[in-house]
Amino acid sequence: MSQIWNIARKEISDGLRNRWLVAISLLFAVLAVGIAWLGAVASGQVGFTSVPATVASLASLATFLMPLIALLLAYDAIVGEEEAGTLMLLLTYPLGRGQILLGKFVGHGVILALATLIGFGSAAVAIAVLVEGVETSLLLWAFGRFMLSSTLLGWVFLALAYVLSSKAGEKSTAAGLALGVWFLFVLVFDLVLLALLVLSEGQFNPDLLPWLLLLNPTDVYRLINMMGFAGGGEALGVLSLGSDLPVSEFGLWLCLLAWIGVSLSLAYWLFRRRLA
């Protein structure tokens, strides 16, 4: 464990030196506070509306931002070390490849978790202080749940970034693959499901289609936050299929954890093959 923590501490130090933690925290804080007070501008209102509406808007924002930030943070974790010549140096120490990978994951994961806590937590504090009559228990529960699920989503894409970094031969290739993964899961996947549903005119296996949502961690994340509030709004688009999914909310949380475990295992396998 000490070796893993040493690698993690080095990644945290690099994140602090490169201002990753500060930049991500400020970005989340500004956007969260802005959405909390300006989220209802389209309906002609300015000011805080409600905790459920604010968290729903923040979850929609995090669906786009969290995967991108996680991929940018870790896409060069392996291939970048190799190009810099430091990977072989690391392997001369009594460190296993799994320890290197886990150490990087812990370090990057801590940076994402802290940025999420500081950035989105500041919005929760601002709401608690500035909004009269807000229910503190609901605010803490809603934002705590939202920040935890957002952190897990970020960790999923950290693990996917290690898969890409272990596979790619150059940093530029890893960066291109990371952008492709972001487009696939955040934009393309749901469009393909909708196209499949429309083109098949409802003839595609109705029992299978909802299960396909579990193949996209961003959809799992949105389903978790959608289920967080009773009557919190009707699902739109492909997420409406989630109502037919026989998986409990706890099962969705486990699905995000499974995404992390499977992706890290695949990254470890590719890492071992790369240096064999």
Side-chain angles (χ1 to χ4, degrees), residues 28-41 47-50 53-62 65 120 123 127:
F28 285 167
V30 171
L31 291 176
V33 172
I35 285 177
W37 267 268
L38 301 176
V41 167
F48 180 76
T49 53
S50 68
T54 299
V55 171
S57 298
L58 289 175
S60 297
L61 175 70
L65 277 183
F120 291 128
I127 291 171

Side-chain angles (χ1 to χ4, degrees), residues 193 196-197 200 202-214 241-247:
L193 282 189
L196 187 63
L197 188 62
S200 67
Q203 298 304 310
F204 190 84
N205 190 334
D207 296 324
L208 174 62
L209 199 56
W211 288 98
L212 296 180
L213 293 176
L214 301 183
L241 297 172
S243 59
D244 299 324
L245 189 62
V247 176

Side-chain angles (χ1 to χ4, degrees), residues 214-237:
L214 301 183
L215 298 179
N216 186 351
T218 62
D219 282 338
V220 177
Y221 167 78
R222 287 190 286 179
L223 285 173
I224 287 174
N225 285 282
M226 185 182 71
M227 293 180 176
F229 300 98
E234 188 173 333
L236 300 176

